[in-house]
Amino acid sequence: MDTAYKEKVTKILTAAAAAPSGDNSQPWRFVVQDSSIEFYALPEKDNPILNYKEGGTLIALGAALQNAELEARAQGYVPHTVLHEDGSCVAVMELKVGGRLDKTDEFLQKSIFKRHTNRKPYKKVPLSKETRTAILDSFLSERTELDFSLIESRDSMSEVAKALTVMEEVALGNHTLHKLFFENIFWSEKENRSGKQGLYIKTLELPPPAQILFRLLKHWSFAKLFTKIGFSQIVAKTNAQQNAAASALGVITAPHTDRVTYLEIGKALERIWLLATARGLSMQIVTGITFLVRSMENNSAIFSESEKERVRAAYMIIKNHVNQDHEPVLVFRIGVGNEPTAVTYRHRTPDIVFV
Ligand SMILES: Cc1cc2nc3c(=O)[nH]c(=O)nc-3n(C[C@H](O)[C@H](O)[C@H](O)COP(=O)(O)O)c2cc1C
């Protein structure tokens, strides 16, 4: 492999590694063999309770594939990707010389390193007709079995937003979820700059009084006490108002949840997110409930009957607003928000093995 080719592939995979991942776990490894790139999943990097059927890992890999395909074209290649139904290598991308970006894809590719999660409140303004059409077109551009709902009526948004925050209520009051969440928090800019996996506290955009409380909440005894006096309901209510005040809630649905479906969801999600970024819109994935409802079946002992009932009821509310023949898999909010206070860093060059 010559140096110029290696440099191009490094650019393609640096773009891949700029994709979103649960708690910034970056659950991928790349192996380059001549003209093909193998994408490996590292599910052990993701939350062991919420990562049902490795769905979170695979969605992150799908988003990474989307970025890699766009960057491959920018580097002059035609990427041909095959998604694998099993094995630790989830996809192989073959690079053929002679590709280029069309206008739409160039618009998306330019946003790869500008895309960030924005957890600030968004303005209560509707999507323009043009943006709505562009989002739906971008979703339809990849032919899959997936479906996509944009929930825009204020009443529906309030209902769904309220259902979504059952996640925060349950997570703060459940010892295992509480531990996993707080273990992944970075408390300093230095840790964030290291590019390691984890969530930087400033990206959570907590208002100042909540920041102080949050440091106390990392201690389970405090979290228990706060749950007892109804604090988690206050957090949930605040978050519900924030989610309902976006321009829309987006829900990606699927008829089943196998590996290829999760990868396709990740690809579709990233396309929408890049488009939103290019149009100056902000996004945040708010999908805890759709993962929790599935993972509860495998981790039954960790959850009380009341927690299970609340989570199932919340999931059904989301389901009632989308394609009835499908299951909701990934939910996000989209809207107009001020610049985030802080963004997540990555290692400058991802882990690539050239064979
Ligand atoms: C499958 C998946 C689930 C996620 N779930 C949430 C979520 O429920 N809430 C949230 O705020 N962010 C969620 N995220 C966003 C990640 O935390 C975020 O992508 C990561 O910290 C990297 O930050 P970035 O998006 O700014 O690059 C999720 C990401 C993925 C891929």
Side-chain angles (χ1 to χ4, degrees), residues 74-93:
Q75 295 302 324
Y77 296 104
V78 182
H80 176 70
T81 310
V82 177
L83 307 180
H84 289 189
E85 273 164 31
D86 41 44
S88 61
C89 172
V90 299
V92 177
M93 185 180 291

Side-chain angles (χ1 to χ4, degrees), residues 113-175:
F113 294 101
K114 292 186 198 145
R115 183 213 58 81
H116 293 291
T117 295
N118 187 349
R119 298 188 180 89
K120 275 204 163 153
Y122 302 166
K123 298 187 180 85
K124 216 171 172 175
V125 291
L127 289 176
S128 71
K129 199 175 158 201
E130 209 199 337
T131 299
R132 182 181 309 113
T133 310
I135 292 175
L136 296 172
D137 284 353
S138 130
F139 182 78
L140 293 173
S141 68
E142 309 232 355
R143 246 167 282 130
T144 63
E145 284 185 90
L146 307 178
D147 202 355
F148 175 56
S149 299
L150 264 179
I151 301 172
E152 295 181 85
S153 97
R154 289 289 151 205
D155 286 349
S156 298
M157 284 175 75
S158 292
E159 260 182 60
V160 174
K162 201 163 161 234
L164 292 173
T165 54
V166 170
M167 177 69 195
E168 282 92 300
E169 278 183 51
V170 171
L172 272 177
N174 180 286
H175 196 180

Side-chain angles (χ1 to χ4, degrees), residues 3 28 38 57 68 85 91 96 110 140 145 157 159 162 175-176 180 190 220 224 227 235 244 273 312 320 325 348:
T3 315
W28 39 61
E38 295 167 356
T57 307
E85 273 164 31
K96 289 213 175 83
K110 287 212 163 82
L140 293 173
E145 284 185 90
M157 284 175 75
E159 260 182 60
K162 201 163 161 234
H175 196 180
T176 310
L180 287 167
K190 195 174 160 210
W220 174 236
K224 253 190 343 194
T227 310
V235 173
W273 207 334
R312 276 191 215 114
N320 283 341
D325 298 327
R348 221 164 282 147

Side-chain angles (χ1 to χ4, degrees), residues 5-17 67-68 71-72 75 112-113 349-350 352 354:
Y5 176 68
K6 275 190 174 174
E7 271 173 18
K8 284 185 176 191
V9 171
T10 302
K11 279 191 182 154
I12 294 170
L13 293 177
T14 305
N67 284 358
E71 190 58 36
Q75 295 302 324
I112 291 175
F113 294 101
T349 314
I352 309 173
F354 289 96

Side-chain angles (χ1 to χ4, degrees), residues 8 12 68-77 99-101 109:
K8 284 185 176 191
I12 294 170
E69 286 181 358
L70 290 167
E71 190 58 36
R73 289 207 174 85
Q75 295 302 324
Y77 296 104
R100 60 178 197 76
L101 286 166
Q109 179 260 344

Side-chain angles (χ1 to χ4, degrees), residues 53-345:
K53 280 201 200 166
E54 301 177 1
T57 307
L58 293 163
I59 289 174
L61 258 300
L65 280 166
Q66 181 64 260
N67 284 358
E69 286 181 358
L70 290 167
E71 190 58 36
R73 289 207 174 85
Q75 295 302 324
Y77 296 104
V78 182
H80 176 70
T81 310
V82 177
L83 307 180
H84 289 189
E85 273 164 31
D86 41 44
S88 61
C89 172
V90 299
V92 177
M93 185 180 291
E94 198 66 45
L95 298 175
K96 289 213 175 83
V97 179
R100 60 178 197 76
L101 286 166
D102 64 18
K103 271 241 145 22
T104 316
D105 279 357
E106 192 182 341
F107 195 54
L108 302 185
Q109 179 260 344
K110 287 212 163 82
S111 294
I112 291 175
F113 294 101
K114 292 186 198 145
R115 183 213 58 81
H116 293 291
T117 295
N118 187 349
R119 298 188 180 89
K120 275 204 163 153
Y122 302 166
K123 298 187 180 85
K124 216 171 172 175
V125 291
L127 289 176
S128 71
K129 199 175 158 201
E130 209 199 337
T131 299
R132 182 181 309 113
T133 310
I135 292 175
L136 296 172
D137 284 353
S138 130
F139 182 78
L140 293 173
S141 68
E142 309 232 355
R143 246 167 282 130
T144 63
E145 284 185 90
L146 307 178
D147 202 355
F148 175 56
S149 299
L150 264 179
I151 301 172
E152 295 181 85
S153 97
R154 289 289 151 205
D155 286 349
S156 298
M157 284 175 75
S158 292
E159 260 182 60
V160 174
K162 201 163 161 234
L164 292 173
T165 54
V166 170
M167 177 69 195
E168 282 92 300
E169 278 183 51
V170 171
L172 272 177
N174 180 286
H175 196 180
T176 310
L177 289 183
H178 171 276
K179 186 165 176 280
L180 287 167
F181 178 74
F182 280 96
E183 266 172 10
N184 272 317
I185 299 280
F186 290 158
W187 300 93
S188 72
E189 173 69 17
K190 195 174 160 210
E191 272 181 297
N192 185 34
R193 289 231 169 231
S194 73
K196 286 187 299 191
Q197 65 183 89
L199 276 184
Y200 179 34
I201 179 78
K202 285 201 173 159
T203 66
L204 298 185
E205 305 286 359
L206 302 168
Q211 279 177 34
I212 300 167
L213 269 181
F214 205 74
R215 284 189 183 263
L216 294 175
L217 278 175
K218 76 175 173 189
H219 306 288
W220 174 236
S221 47
F222 270 101
K224 253 190 343 194
L225 179 71
F226 275 87
T227 310
K228 228 184 206 154
I229 59 174
F231 177 75
S232 52
Q233 277 100 317
I234 298 172
V235 173
K237 201 172 165 200
T238 314
N239 287 353
Q241 280 165 353
Q242 174 160 306
N243 290 341
S247 299
L249 293 170
V251 189
I252 302 180
T253 67
H256 39 73
T257 50
D258 53 34
R259 186 203 252 197
V260 168
T261 305
Y262 277 125
L263 289 168
E264 285 171 345
I265 290 170
K267 286 183 82 176
L269 165 77
E270 184 67 351
R271 245 187 127 71
I272 295 171
W273 207 334
L274 294 175
L275 179 89
T277 306
R279 286 179 167 257
L281 293 171
S282 294
M283 263 179 59
Q284 182 194 359
I285 299 179
V286 281
T287 208
I289 280 293
T290 60
F291 280 73
L292 186 55
V293 78
R294 298 187 167 95
S295 56
M296 268 179 359
E297 306 307 325
N298 284 0
N299 299 284
S300 196
I302 294 171
F303 301 97
S304 68
E305 281 313 311
S306 130
E307 284 171 333
K308 286 182 202 164
E309 262 169 46
R310 275 149 64 208
V311 171
R312 276 191 215 114
Y315 179 79
M316 287 315 292
I317 291 172
I318 303 167
K319 191 171 153 83
N320 283 341
H321 286 85
V322 299
N323 181 337
Q324 289 301 296
D325 298 327
H326 277 207
E327 296 297 326
V329 182
L330 191 127
V331 189
F332 60 84
R333 67 180 174 120
I334 182 166
V336 180
N338 291 331
E339 282 293 297
T341 309
V343 297
T344 298
Y345 284 92

